[in-house]
Amino acid sequence: MPQNIITADKLTKVYKGIAVVDNVSFDIPEGAICGLIGRNGAGKTTLLRLLTGLALPTSGTYSICNGLARTDSSVAAIVERPMLFDSMSAADNLILQSRVLGLDSDVNYIASTLELVGLDIKNKLKVKKYSLGMRQRLAIAVCLLGKPRLLLLDEPINGLDPQGINDMRRLLQQLNSQMGVTIVISSHILSELDKLATHYLIMDKGRVVQSLTAQQMAGYNRTYLRLVVENADNAVQVLLSNGYKDVVAAGKTIVKVYDDIPSTQVLLCLAQNGVAVKSVNTEGGGLEDVYLNMIGGNR
């Protein structure tokens, strides 16, 4: 059983009287790809800043790599804008960054690192002419200079085109499976995390709402009938009174029926009780729907 690479206990960060990270406790096992999910303002970036040492906790504790110092090269992070030198090539960036970090600027390792992220040591193009995707890959290469065990990434695929997103996903999977790097990644693109993550931390209003594995998350993935009606509360009452057990109103005109019953039977029940249905679709079964249900976003 893998040991935990991150452990947090009642970790709290207060800014101007507001708990941006509020009494959170969680564990992340070594070897995981952990998706950090939450709406804007949920506390994700602040949590990553705490874990990287860019911010100090107001209270609570955390441990990384069994107490490894935050400055140790075994932990690397991209939080907010990565530091790159625009007037230099990718190779020169890595050479300079190696010296800044006190690491050997081994040309062979730099070449192999650039190759790993899809860049070429022979390419002398200056970074200022790079696309966003190339810049993100170079930032990952900088993180890899110290051969980290843990990589913390804040929105690394934000703004990338579909090809760039696909390239980044493949790169992170390769780092995890072939190099054993544990990755914590925050993202609003839940469909990508669904393809990538082995574990999830779901945050809302500074708190960790759920900490679960991908297998546990799959247990929440339930399809449902989405009905558009004139009065959702009325339709829900009709269905509940006719033996349906898992029915919710999602707004004034949306009803979600989770019971495993054919749609024709549901429609017949509503029609017989004078409820007109404007449209019906089968939806759900994805990470986004699970997340919204957990934070109450569908109610």
Side-chain angles (χ1 to χ4, degrees), residues 64-65 67-76 103 146-150:
I64 293 181
C65 302
L68 195 66
R70 286 189 299 261
T71 55
D72 193 286
S73 60
S74 290
V75 182
L103 303 170
K147 302 178 182 179
R149 291 169 54 194
L150 174 63

Side-chain angles (χ1 to χ4, degrees), residues 84-268:
L84 300 173
F85 298 97
D86 285 350
S87 61
M88 295 182 176
S89 68
D92 288 340
N93 258 273
L94 294 196
I95 290 170
L96 181 57
Q97 296 276 16
S98 295
R99 292 171 180 168
V100 169
L101 295 170
L103 303 170
D104 293 333
S105 52
D106 185 312
V107 176
N108 291 329
Y109 182 68
I110 287 174
S112 63
T113 301
L114 287 173
E115 182 180 1
L116 178 65
V117 301
L119 299 174
D120 186 354
I121 193 172
K122 297 178 182 178
N123 190 338
K124 301 302 180 182
L125 184 69
K126 292 182 179 180
V127 170
K128 65 183 177 183
K129 296 184 179 180
Y130 274 20
S131 66
L132 178 58
M134 293 172 71
R135 293 180 69 91
Q136 292 289 67
R137 283 183 276 151
L138 179 56
I140 296 289
V142 172
C143 288
L144 297 178
L145 289 173
K147 302 178 182 179
R149 291 169 54 194
L150 174 63
L151 188 57
L152 305 170
L153 303 174
D154 188 19
E155 299 285 352
I157 58 178
N158 190 34
L160 297 183
D161 60 25
Q163 183 61 54
I165 291 173
N166 182 69
D167 291 343
M168 183 61 68
R169 175 177 12 104
R170 291 177 180 274
L171 172 59
L172 297 179
Q173 288 172 327
Q174 186 176 3
L175 294 178
N176 179 256
S177 63
Q178 296 183 17
M179 299 178 63
V181 180
T182 303
I183 301 171
V184 179
I185 172 174
S186 75
S187 179
H188 288 110
I189 306 178
L190 302 188
S191 60
E192 279 303 309
L193 288 184
D194 205 6
K195 301 172 186 175
L196 188 65
T198 62
H199 294 72
Y200 295 94
L201 283 180
I202 299 178
M203 294 190 70
D204 191 43
K205 299 178 182 177
R207 291 181 172 269
V208 171
V209 178
Q210 283 279 4
S211 174
L212 65 173
T213 66
Q215 289 80 8
Q216 290 170 325
M217 179 69 82
Y220 288 96
N221 284 350
R222 303 171 61 199
T223 58
Y224 59 88
L225 287 180
R226 181 182 185 273
L227 308 170
V228 178
V229 297
E230 186 172 326
N231 186 312
D233 289 335
N234 181 44
V236 168
Q237 290 303 315
V238 166
L239 291 171
L240 291 176
S241 65
N242 280 272
Y244 292 84
K245 297 179 180 179
D246 203 350
V247 182
V248 295
K252 295 182 179 180
T253 61
I254 306 297
V255 175
K256 294 184 177 181
V257 181
Y258 289 91
D259 295 77
D260 188 16
I261 295 174
S263 60
T264 52
Q265 186 173 330
V266 176
L267 295 173
L268 179 60

Side-chain angles (χ1 to χ4, degrees), residues 3-56:
Q3 64 180 357
N4 292 323
I5 198 166
I6 301 178
T7 296
D9 182 29
K10 299 179 181 178
L11 192 59
T12 300
K13 180 63 178 179
V14 177
Y15 286 114
K16 297 180 179 180
I18 299 173
V20 182
V21 172
D22 189 5
N23 199 42
V24 302
S25 299
F26 61 87
D27 298 313
I28 297 176
E30 189 162 16
I33 300 179
C34 182
L36 184 57
I37 305 173
R39 67 185 98 197
N40 289 334
K44 305 186 303 298
T45 297
T46 301
L47 177 59
L48 291 177
R49 287 176 60 84
L50 289 170
L51 296 177
T52 57
L54 294 172
L56 297 177

Side-chain angles (χ1 to χ4, degrees), residues 270-281:
L270 291 172
Q272 290 174 339
N273 287 274
V275 177
V277 177
K278 297 179 181 179
S279 68
V280 57
N281 293 290

